[in-house]
Amino acid sequence: MFFISKFLPYGKQTIDDEDIEEVVKTLKFPLITQGPKIEEFEKDIAKYCGAKYAVAFNSGTSALHGAYFALGIGKGDEVITTPNTFVATSNAALYLGADVKFSDVESKTGNLDVSKIEISDKTKLISPVHYSGQPVDLKEFSEIAEENDVKLFEDGAHALGAKYNGKKIGSLTYSEMAMFSFHPVKHITTGEGGIIVTNNEEYYERLQLFRSHGITKNNLVNEPHGDWYYEMQYLGFNYRITDIQCALGVSQLKKLDSFVKYRRKIAKTYDEIFEDNPYFDVTVEKENRQSAYHLYPILLKDKFVNHKKEIFARLRQEGIGVQVHYIPVYKQPYYQNLGFGNELCPICEDFYKKEISIPMYPTLTDEDIDFVKDKLYKVISEFD
């Protein structure tokens, strides 16, 4: 048994008294679900991103499901995405009976590589992930989508507050929709939650119905029986978020820019202190991008890759709550049972073998950063 005097997780929420006060106010309000805070939060997010509409869900996963549904994804369609993501990005296509095609990533960013995309007759959607908070090559992806008459969707779970060519992710300059996640390790949190932003009114209406059982009181098919009458027009789900969660989201959003500013400051410090170190490389921020740095991945140098399991365990023993992002999705047993190969994307395979995510959140201090550096160097040097 050993005692850890200090432990830094790879990510965590930043909650203050103002956030707590806003949640308490909502708890005292007559409506704690399906009330006014949900619409307020949606409007605030849409305004922040520069989009026309936003629809909030109870998780990023349900938001993805709703988005693919609204885009018309179904049986026989193909969705191209990255294997370097959480399983939800591709699972949402499977929920709707669609097929998934995984495409390889860039070695220096972990993002979907636009040059590797292969469109088929079945392809209906390209769904890149802004991995770690750095935007993908949106302009190039949009050109491929337009040339092949397929749709482009942004999984921005890591990227709220990020910018591409000076415009915020979610401004939808190039895509149909974008999704953001509000899990506690993300830039702002609602406990659990997600949201879709779009400029398309039809998508907006379909999203609203889908999150609430497919039920509506508007645009009725049949003659209403009375004021109580409603209709289920789609096979939807109960994916509603609560006013309690959205009250927290409204308060958190006011601090988002400062959170991103601190994340970028921490990333710059990491970049400087890790420059030319003999143990690992770091990912590269590409030109005309402003990463929101949900994650700060390091990539072990080749001589240490075979010791990753031991390095990971030792770092946690030393008080660094590292994580790995991600196991390539097609390696999961469920996907293997669907017939996916075990090593489909060689660059993603290599990225996975090397990647470890180290602490990245706004309240890290200079002392914490020095602690991270010292422990990284100490542990990895043990395997030199």
Side-chain angles (χ1 to χ4, degrees), residues 191-236:
E192 287 279 4
I195 204 162
I196 301 294
V197 291
T198 184
N199 290 330
N200 185 302
E201 187 175 8
E202 181 183 351
Y203 294 159
Y204 171 63
E205 292 172 352
R206 285 170 64 87
L207 286 162
Q208 286 185 309
L209 264 64
F210 189 75
R211 74 168 173 193
S212 191
H213 306 279
I215 287 175
T216 183
K217 288 189 172 187
N218 303 314
N219 302 315
L220 301 175
V221 175
N222 300 319
E223 189 70 25
H225 307 157
D227 290 343
W228 67 85
Y229 185 76
Y230 59 85
E231 289 180 347
M232 177 182 151
Q233 297 180 348
Y234 299 109
L235 182 59

Side-chain angles (χ1 to χ4, degrees), residues 82-87 308 323-333 342 348-349 352 355:
T82 173
N84 188 34
T85 184
F86 186 60
V87 295
K308 177 177 172 177
Q323 189 52 275
V324 170
H325 296 93
Y326 291 94
I327 302 168
V329 176
Y330 54 74
K331 286 184 173 292
Q332 298 297 337
N342 193 41
C348 187
E349 291 286 330
Y352 167 56
E355 197 275 342

Side-chain angles (χ1 to χ4, degrees), residues 250-354:
V250 168
S251 181
Q252 286 263 294
L253 186 58
K254 296 172 183 176
K255 289 163 276 201
L256 173 59
D257 285 341
S258 66
F259 288 166
V260 172
K261 179 182 177 181
Y262 280 115
R263 285 176 179 270
R264 289 186 57 79
K265 181 180 177 182
I266 292 163
K268 184 178 179 181
T269 302
Y270 275 153
D271 287 347
E272 291 171 352
I273 64 175
F274 294 149
E275 187 174 8
D276 298 326
N277 82 83
Y279 307 116
F280 54 83
D281 298 310
V282 299
T283 55
V284 176
E285 187 176 53
K286 297 176 77 171
E287 189 178 358
N288 297 324
R289 317 296 156 91
Q290 185 173 311
S291 176
Y293 284 104
H294 161 53
L295 303 173
Y296 191 92
I298 64 169
L299 304 171
L300 295 173
K301 289 187 181 293
D302 289 340
K303 65 188 293 187
F304 302 107
V305 165
N306 291 336
H307 300 291
K308 177 177 172 177
K309 181 178 178 180
E310 294 89 347
I311 290 169
F312 185 92
R314 284 284 294 114
L315 285 169
R316 288 196 164 189
Q317 289 172 3
E318 291 287 341
I320 307 297
V322 289
Q323 189 52 275
V324 170
H325 296 93
Y326 291 94
I327 302 168
V329 176
Y330 54 74
K331 286 184 173 292
Q332 298 297 337
Y334 186 86
Y335 280 82
Q336 294 284 292
N337 291 337
L338 292 177
F340 284 89
N342 193 41
E343 295 188 359
L344 284 179
C345 300
I347 297 175
C348 187
E349 291 286 330
D350 187 63
F351 193 91
Y352 167 56
K353 289 174 184 176
K354 296 177 177 179

